[in-house]
Amino acid sequence: MSDTLRHTRARGAITHGPKPARQAAATSLPLASLNAALLLLLAPAAALAQDSERTLSEVVVTAGDGSAGLGLGTPATTGSNLGLTPMETPASVDVISREQLEQRGDHSLNDAITRAAGLSVMGHPGNGGSALSARGFTDGTSVMRLYDGLRQYGGIGVTFPFDTWSVERIEVLRGPASVIYGDGAIGGVINVIPKKPTRGPVENEMQATVGTQGTARLAFGSGGALDERWSYRLDLSGNRSDGWVDRGDNRDATFSGALQFDPSADLSLRLSHARGEQKPMRYFGTPLIDGRQLSAVRENNYNVADGEIRYQDSWTALDARWTPNATTTVQARLYHIDSERKWRNAETYVHDSGSGLIDRSGNTDIRHDQTQTGLTANAAFEGSLFGLKNTFSAGFDVNRARFRHSNNTYVGSSGPVDPYDPVPGAFQSSIPTIPRYRNTAAQHAVFVENRLALTAQWTVVAGLRNDHAEITRKDLVTGTRAFEQTYDDTGWRLGTVYQLTPDLSLYAQYAEAADPVGALLMLTTANSAFDLSRGRQTEIGLKQRFWQGKGEWTLAAYEIVKTDLLTRDAADPSLRVQVGQQSSRGIEAGISAAFAPGWRLEANAALLRARYDDFTESVGGVAVSRDGNTPTNVPERLANLWLSWNFQPQWTATAGLRYVDKRYADNANTLKLPAYTTTDLSLRWDLAPRTSLALNGYNVFDKQYFTTAYYTATQWFYGPSRRVELTLNHRF
């Protein structure tokens, strides 16, 4: 498997920056400009709020079911197109609410996502910092990330969104999700849902943060009704930090805005646009020295001084929602996604025991230019079937994506450095960076879903989706077509939910899905000959609310088997064949309870057994079986704990623990990233009804730990060290 990943990377597993002409024309969001824009927005927003209060008729604002908890009663769009709550869905679905994001102080999207049961992060610059592990499966070809239900098709390294300021909630669906989103989600789906326009008086919010490691953050949000038909939402945020390693400075900025027009009670139109720009840490990990990691080099950065990483993403969508009657809902979305990414760094480090130096190689200059335009629509109908209550949904998805990859063939070295006192030097490569290939994907899909109520307590939910994709690769150096390949797949799910009581549900489901052998828009000529990998999952579980709604808990048990993996031919290790198999089985549990006045406990845990059932890799030209080994980057035990105590009317103290089990950096399971536990603490003071001050400490005991290995198994990434932040939040 790692052999496959290395091969993918060698061909450009991540998309890089813009074409030169486009880069010059592209709109950027530098932090200084963003800060100025925020200040300019404050005055008119406040005036707009006052004017809105004068002119609008009385509006009653009611809170939704967005309180801290598991969100069992909140309709979730990720698990189904039928408007079901997690309680009604025969699958494992978590909802992380806006309130939880604020209580925990999670500004990083990865930090927020991995509070959910069974998820761990394995992000690094090579995958855009976004790769995740779920239920024994890893990376973007098995764990899908969505933005407001939209999927960036066929690539590895989804680089937007990354900040939680504009996020309303995060929905996590564990297990295969092909029925709704197509191939590439055997492990699960994470759907990041942004704040949207709301009816009601205009409300503004501003947040400012300062902290250790040179951290500074400024954010502004505003939304509400402009009149009886128009409403809006606007969010801006900017972050900067010096990072936790030498020369680890990083910064980012985000804009998210939407304008909604409601011409009638049954029709709504919304135009939204989001843009993000990142300059993340130019850090590619720390190599093993004499076979082990040394604390003395924890903060060292072995990249070149002029290293560069930049991501620019924009998502634009026009949504329409029509409800002609109480039983019919029609939705459509026309959208365009544009991503430009660039890497120019010395990425590979190996310790030479003879010289005592760190040899650097793999001077890599890569640029990605990826666009996607699509239309998706679905309709849902409530009625009856054979006299039984029934809800039916059908829809389609059409998109066209283009991906241009430029590189320098990864040739160059900036020389060795001292492991303890590295002199970074400058980037050097004798090969020019030019466009190498362009992959194009034309994809379309149709999907249906149905929920039939056999009795008032017993429902059956079924879904089916067919995906068709045509992938074309053009060699931009020779000007010839490298290959043209077609993929067709049908995924399906059958599940049932039985409500023993209104607050206790049992469920079971069986699902079949598919994953590509590699990112389709980065598919190489060699990999184009292989078909999709197949997966199947069986899951049972229960969900319950108790203590008059003050508590919720869930339990799920599952087994997933994925077949048709790429593996080495035992008879000829130079060849790859598609006969491998990988499986996992596990148990996940979560609980949320307001167990005493002022106290709330939230906790989850996941135990799994992940194995290669049939997998062979080539070691020195010899076929070696890895059957029975644990896949790389898969922790088999995960847990999260969050405890909050409102000990005075205006004071709340919170504490959080995060546990991640050991992971293996190689398929032989000889290199082990140790297990770790980190502790977060927070104290919040509500000094006024709409103003709060929070002191947050992250990894307060300064635990040294590793998040993942790079494409070479002996190069590991240190996790963030201790930091402390002070945040002021004010609504007006």
Side-chain angles (χ1 to χ4, degrees), residues 418-611:
D418 187 303
Y420 303 98
D421 186 22
V423 178
F427 182 89
Q428 298 180 33
S429 178
S430 60
I431 305 298
T433 300
I434 61 173
R436 302 287 175 176
Y437 68 85
R438 181 175 62 240
N439 280 13
T440 303
Q443 182 262 352
H444 63 262
V446 291
F447 47 88
V448 294
E449 194 176 8
N450 194 83
R451 179 178 185 255
L452 180 65
L454 300 177
T455 69
Q457 294 80 34
W458 187 17
T459 60
V460 175
V461 178
L464 182 74
R465 174 174 172 133
N466 177 261
D467 274 89
H468 180 89
E470 297 177 0
I471 312 297
T472 303
R473 181 184 179 108
K474 182 176 182 180
D475 188 321
L476 298 179
V477 178
T478 64
T480 60
R481 177 174 291 184
F483 69 81
E484 184 172 343
Q485 183 61 279
T486 299
Y487 296 94
D488 195 90
D489 177 73
T490 299
W492 60 277
R493 178 179 72 184
L494 178 63
T496 184
V497 178
Y498 189 83
Q499 285 188 289
L500 293 173
T501 72
D503 291 324
L504 173 61
S505 293
L506 304 179
Y507 73 90
Q509 67 143 296
Y510 177 84
E512 292 202 357
D515 279 351
V517 298
L520 291 180
L521 284 179
M522 299 176 181
L523 201 63
T524 64
T525 302
N527 282 348
S528 67
F530 299 109
D531 204 350
L532 300 173
S533 298
R534 300 293 309 173
R536 61 183 184 272
Q537 175 187 264
T538 304
E539 179 178 344
I540 59 174
L542 65 84
K543 306 170 185 180
Q544 183 180 23
R545 288 189 294 255
F546 57 94
W547 287 348
Q548 292 78 46
K550 295 179 181 179
E552 299 175 328
W553 78 288
T554 64
L555 179 67
Y558 65 87
E559 181 181 52
I560 304 176
V561 178
K562 182 177 178 180
T563 59
D564 300 323
L565 305 183
L566 295 187
T567 181
R568 290 290 171 175
D569 189 336
D572 184 357
S574 65
L575 301 178
R576 288 187 299 170
V577 291
Q578 195 173 15
V579 297
Q581 178 175 302
Q582 177 181 338
S583 64
S584 69
R585 61 183 61 176
I587 297 174
E588 297 163 345
I591 186 170
S592 174
F595 61 91
W599 288 88
R600 174 171 286 276
L601 171 70
E602 297 176 21
N604 58 63
L607 306 175
L608 69 95
R609 179 188 181 276
R611 293 293 183 267

Side-chain angles (χ1 to χ4, degrees), residues 129-258:
S130 63
L132 298 164
S133 173
R135 290 195 169 180
F137 299 90
T138 61
D139 221 330
T141 54
S142 291
V143 185
M144 186 183 296
R145 294 178 68 147
L146 309 172
Y147 179 63
D148 202 14
L150 285 180
R151 169 192 182 187
Q152 193 167 20
Y153 189 78
I156 290 180
V158 176
T159 49
F160 185 87
F162 48 85
D163 181 87
T164 63
W165 173 253
S166 62
V167 175
E168 179 60 34
R169 68 185 186 276
I170 301 169
E171 297 180 350
V172 178
L173 170 63
R174 287 179 291 272
S178 293
V179 168
I180 308 298
Y181 305 109
D183 59 78
I186 281 178
V189 163
I190 291 85
N191 187 11
V192 182
I193 300 174
K195 299 173 183 175
K196 293 186 171 69
T198 55
R199 303 300 305 174
V202 171
E203 183 172 280
N204 308 299
E205 183 177 8
M206 185 175 182
Q207 188 174 95
T209 298
V210 294
T212 57
Q213 299 180 359
T215 299
R217 183 177 297 112
L218 185 62
F220 173 75
S222 181
L226 299 172
D227 59 23
E228 290 79 5
R229 295 185 177 183
W230 292 90
S231 55
Y232 78 101
R233 182 70 213 181
L234 174 67
D235 291 283
L236 302 105
S237 63
N239 305 271
R240 64 97 49 219
S241 172
D242 294 334
W244 57 90
V245 298
D246 295 336
R247 295 179 288 110
D249 54 293
N250 59 92
R251 60 193 63 213
D252 61 65
T254 301
F255 166 85
S256 175

Side-chain angles (χ1 to χ4, degrees), residues 682-697:
S682 175
L683 180 65
R684 190 182 74 184
W685 175 32
D686 296 320
L687 63 156
R690 300 173 69 84
T691 305
S692 65
L693 191 64
L695 181 66
N696 294 290

Side-chain angles (χ1 to χ4, degrees), residues 67-73 86 93-96 100 552-554 590-592 603:
S67 59
L70 303 181
L72 296 182
V93 182
D94 282 358
V95 179
I96 302 173
Q100 290 171 307
E552 299 175 328
W553 78 288
T554 64
I591 186 170
S592 174

